[in-house]
Amino acid sequence: MPHDLPEWVAELTDPRRAGTLDELADRLVPLAEHAIDVSRRLQAQLNELNDPFKREALYGRVERLKARAGEALDEITAEIAASGEQRIERVWADWAGRAGPGDHGERKRELQRRLDRDIVPVLSRRQRDVAERVAERTSGALEEATQTLLTRVEQLAKAVTDLIHDVLPLAREGLMLASRISALSSQARKAGRGPIPDELKDAAAETSHAFDEAVARLELEWAALGARSASVRAALRGAEESAFSMVTEEMTRCVEELAPEHVKALNEAEARARSLFEEPSKG
């Protein structure tokens, strides 16, 4: 709903209602300042809109994707290693529950030596093989996701560049208008004191009308550009998250495909360890 200011505000600020040259000069100054302000705000917003597409920002976006993919791969690798350790620990726990008081010395050391010789190397090779296959699939997915991310950013950058080229002349128009208003204010001051000549009255009316139209366009464009900037930032975040999801989804598929074979290897390793623990002591 409209919120009109009291009538006296225009009486005291509108250059078209000035009665003397001094009043005209004074009332033109805020108009020039306003035109400069909105133009600079518009230019600042255009700069902010362009910042995410600079080389440093693009490099940082790719590096973040690589770092996040690396962290996710490290977590999976740690889980693969932990799965083998848990099986061995379970065997040790079962043995410790059954072992008598005299079994915790030399017998334990003998079992540890045999585990390290016969079980752990095979299990480690299996875990390393699984981890390497996951890493290989992750690398391929990361390369594809990075290319998708770069393509999307390039497409967005083109749209933003077109937008900047469309809006930038408006910001310059505001600065040119400010210069025109300042020149008219200076002309009014140089004309001396007293009533305003018709020529200056006409110029002030024309300039004030131009100011009203131009500033309305600039303020509207500034508000619209703010909304576009928010959309662009959201789109960039979405592109990053989508790229990361491409990598993690491929990781998940790879782990699911390898899981049956890996579980089978863990079961075999655990069974061999249990049979080893059930063998009589060589002592």
Side-chain angles (χ1 to χ4, degrees):
M1 59 183 296
H3 296 279
D4 293 331
L5 296 174
E7 177 65 21
W8 61 262
V9 174
E11 244 348 290
L12 298 180
T13 61
D14 191 339
R16 287 163 289 199
R17 300 193 185 186
T20 66
L21 286 165
D22 284 338
E23 287 182 359
L24 175 60
D26 290 341
R27 295 182 185 196
L28 286 169
V29 171
L31 270 60
E33 292 173 346
H34 190 168
I36 291 171
D37 173 68
V38 68
S39 295
R40 286 178 175 172
R41 279 189 280 124
L42 198 55
Q43 286 181 328
Q45 208 159 46
L46 290 173
N47 291 335
E48 182 181 337
L49 187 61
N50 186 57
D51 283 344
F53 301 99
K54 291 181 178 178
R55 182 183 298 274
E56 297 81 4
L58 183 61
Y59 176 79
R61 197 166 286 111
V62 171
E63 288 303 305
R64 277 195 301 274
L65 176 60
K66 291 180 179 178
R68 293 177 69 186
E71 290 171 1
L73 181 60
D74 288 344
E75 289 179 7
I76 291 177
T77 302
E79 290 173 1
I80 293 170
S83 64
E85 294 170 0
Q86 289 167 0
R87 294 299 187 99
I88 299 299
E89 288 172 0
R90 185 161 66 186
V91 174
W92 273 117
D94 290 347
W95 175 81
R98 300 191 311 269
D103 289 337
H104 289 278
E106 183 58 34
R107 175 60 172 163
K108 183 175 182 180
R109 287 190 289 273
E110 177 191 346
L111 290 172
Q112 185 65 62
R113 284 194 296 270
R114 297 189 65 184
L115 275 176
D116 292 342
R117 184 191 66 193
D118 300 333
I119 306 299
V120 173
V122 176
L123 190 56
S124 297
R125 282 196 299 272
R126 175 59 196 167
Q127 291 172 332
R128 189 165 53 250
D129 177 63
V130 171
E132 288 174 353
R133 289 164 74 179
V134 174
E136 182 179 358
R137 291 271 290 273
T138 299
S139 177
L142 178 59
E143 183 176 348
E144 182 180 352
T146 300
Q147 188 56 53
T148 299
L149 174 61
L150 292 176
T151 299
R152 287 176 171 172
V153 171
E154 182 180 355
Q155 292 170 345
L156 198 56
K158 183 181 183 305
V160 167
T161 299
D162 292 342
L163 175 61
I164 290 174
H165 287 165
D166 288 342
V167 176
L168 191 57
L170 289 177
R172 292 172 179 160
E173 178 186 341
L175 294 176
M176 292 173 62
L177 177 61
S179 176
R180 175 182 164 189
I181 295 171
S182 296
L184 185 60
S185 176
S186 177
Q187 184 180 350
R189 291 196 189 282
K190 291 178 180 177
R193 299 177 180 275
I196 305 171
D198 290 341
E199 181 182 349
L200 278 180
K201 276 186 179 180
D202 293 342
E206 181 185 346
T207 302
S208 297
H209 180 70
F211 168 84
D212 291 341
E213 289 186 343
V215 168
R217 287 198 307 273
L218 290 170
E219 292 285 7
L220 185 62
E221 192 60 50
W222 177 76
L225 195 58
R228 292 191 189 102
S229 296
S231 297
V232 167
R233 289 192 297 270
L236 288 171
R237 286 193 298 270
E240 283 193 52
E241 291 304 317
S242 176
F244 181 60
S245 294
M246 290 176 61
V247 178
T248 55
E249 286 169 6
E250 182 62 22
M251 284 182 178
T252 300
R253 281 193 295 269
C254 183
V255 170
E256 289 174 349
E257 292 169 10
L258 297 176
E261 185 180 347
H262 181 57
V263 171
K264 179 181 177 182
L266 290 175
N267 291 338
E268 291 173 352
E270 183 176 351
R272 289 183 61 195
R274 288 187 182 280
S275 66
L276 184 152
F277 274 48
E278 290 169 0
E279 291 178 5
S281 172
K282 293 182 179 181

